[in-house]
Amino acid sequence: MDFNEEVLEQLNRFYDVWHECDYAYEVWAKEHGISVNALFVLSAIYECAEDCTQKNISQRWLIPKQTVNMILKDFITKGLVELVPMHEDKRNKLIRFTESGKEYADGILSELRETELFVIDEMGIERMKLLNDNAALFAELFNKNRRHKQ
């Protein structure tokens, strides 16, 4: 096998693994009665607590703003979140959990975290560190090359 074939084989394997990870989260979310994007929005609200806006979620998770808006409308209808006007910019609204929304998020996100921690325990912390280090290096070099070509 020549070098280029091996490189392309590994790149294709990277794509496959990346899609398998996405698919694993999609299936997990569906099994818990939620879309993967709704799961990510729920997680984003949970993580950013005090300064959570639709724009922040869209940018952080790379979910189109319209999709975030649709998910938030569903969450509002279900009584999970409320929108609070920002003091400094009345056009933007902060997203906050209601009491039942906080309970729902705690439940589903703790189940997700339990699954993720099981995976890390099975693979070992050293392999997890290597996975993170290598993925970060790939992203860094990809962006370096992209910027260089601009």
Side-chain angles (χ1 to χ4, degrees), residues 6-17:
E6 182 179 5
V7 169
L8 289 176
E9 183 180 309
Q10 289 305 309
L11 184 60
N12 286 330
R13 182 169 180 234
F14 172 74
Y15 295 153
D16 289 344
V17 170

Side-chain angles (χ1 to χ4, degrees), residues 37-69:
N37 282 336
L39 177 65
F40 294 154
V41 169
L42 198 67
S43 181
I45 298 167
Y46 197 85
E47 286 176 10
C48 66
E50 293 303 312
D51 62 342
C52 190
T53 66
Q54 198 171 317
K55 183 178 179 181
N56 293 351
I57 295 170
S58 181
Q59 289 175 341
R60 163 97 165 86
W61 291 92
L62 303 176
I63 301 171
K65 199 170 177 187
Q66 300 88 333
T67 303
V68 174
N69 189 357

Side-chain angles (χ1 to χ4, degrees), residues 33-35 38 41 66-81 83 104:
I34 190 170
S35 73
V41 169
Q66 300 88 333
T67 303
V68 174
N69 189 357
M70 183 181 70
I71 291 167
L72 290 175
K73 284 181 179 179
D74 182 53
F75 284 175
I76 290 167
T77 301
K78 292 176 178 175
L80 301 177
V81 299
L83 302 180
Y104 175 74

